[in-house]
Amino acid sequence: MDIATLQRALAELFAPWVQALDLRVEAADADGVRLRLPLTPALVRQGEVLCGQAMMAAANTAMVLALMQHFGAFRPCTTVQLNSSFLRPLSQQDATVHARVLRAGKALAFGEIDIAGHRDGKSVCRASTTYALL
């Protein structure tokens, strides 16, 4: 699946508030998808730090796109579990969100997401996910 198709999916499949994150697909290959989450004033909390809620939404969204990449098309799915660990604060740079599918069966899919500073590459959040495939 190409980057343009995945970028269109962001506009067509997700709620307006998710679209407002302004996620940009930067890569899509056998290793999953990589998105850029711009650090905007709407997404920061006290101290100019990217808020965890924005990271969780970006992680969840990236995994849906990773599943699209894995299957070659959108498959309806719903999040069963999204577990995250916040490793350090992110400020003064955009975030890179890398999602990859670990295993996809007939009913469930499992994945992992790493969120890192776009400029320095340091991990700020790690998440694991389980999705029910509908």
Side-chain angles (χ1 to χ4, degrees):
M1 186 161 289
D2 64 24
I3 291 171
T5 300
L6 293 171
Q7 191 67 49
R8 276 193 308 277
L10 284 169
E12 296 170 0
L13 298 175
F14 296 93
W17 70 268
V18 175
Q19 294 172 24
L21 294 172
D22 196 25
L23 292 164
R24 298 175 203 143
V25 181
E26 293 195 329
D29 53 33
D31 194 36
V33 300
R34 199 169 52 253
L35 309 180
R36 186 170 186 161
L37 172 62
L39 184 67
T40 63
L43 301 180
V44 297
R45 61 175 180 78
Q46 185 177 13
E48 300 299 313
V49 173
L50 180 63
C51 70
Q53 296 91 333
M55 286 189 265
M56 294 291 288
N60 200 39
T61 303
M63 187 51 65
V64 172
L65 296 181
L67 287 169
M68 287 181 65
Q69 172 73 9
H70 178 81
F71 289 118
F74 174 71
R75 282 194 58 186
C77 58
T78 188
T79 308
V80 173
Q81 176 266 340
L82 177 58
N83 185 34
S84 62
S85 296
F86 298 98
L87 309 174
R88 64 174 35 140
L90 178 71
S91 62
Q92 301 179 349
Q93 62 183 312
D94 293 349
T96 299
V97 184
H98 181 209
R100 67 185 191 106
V101 176
L102 298 175
R103 182 182 177 284
K106 292 182 180 183
L108 293 174
F110 304 89
E112 66 181 9
I113 303 105
D114 180 65
I115 301 177
H118 188 74
R119 189 177 59 249
D120 66 18
K122 292 181 180 178
S123 289
V124 297
C125 179
R126 297 281 299 175
S128 62
T129 60
T130 304
Y131 287 82
L133 303 172
L134 308 174

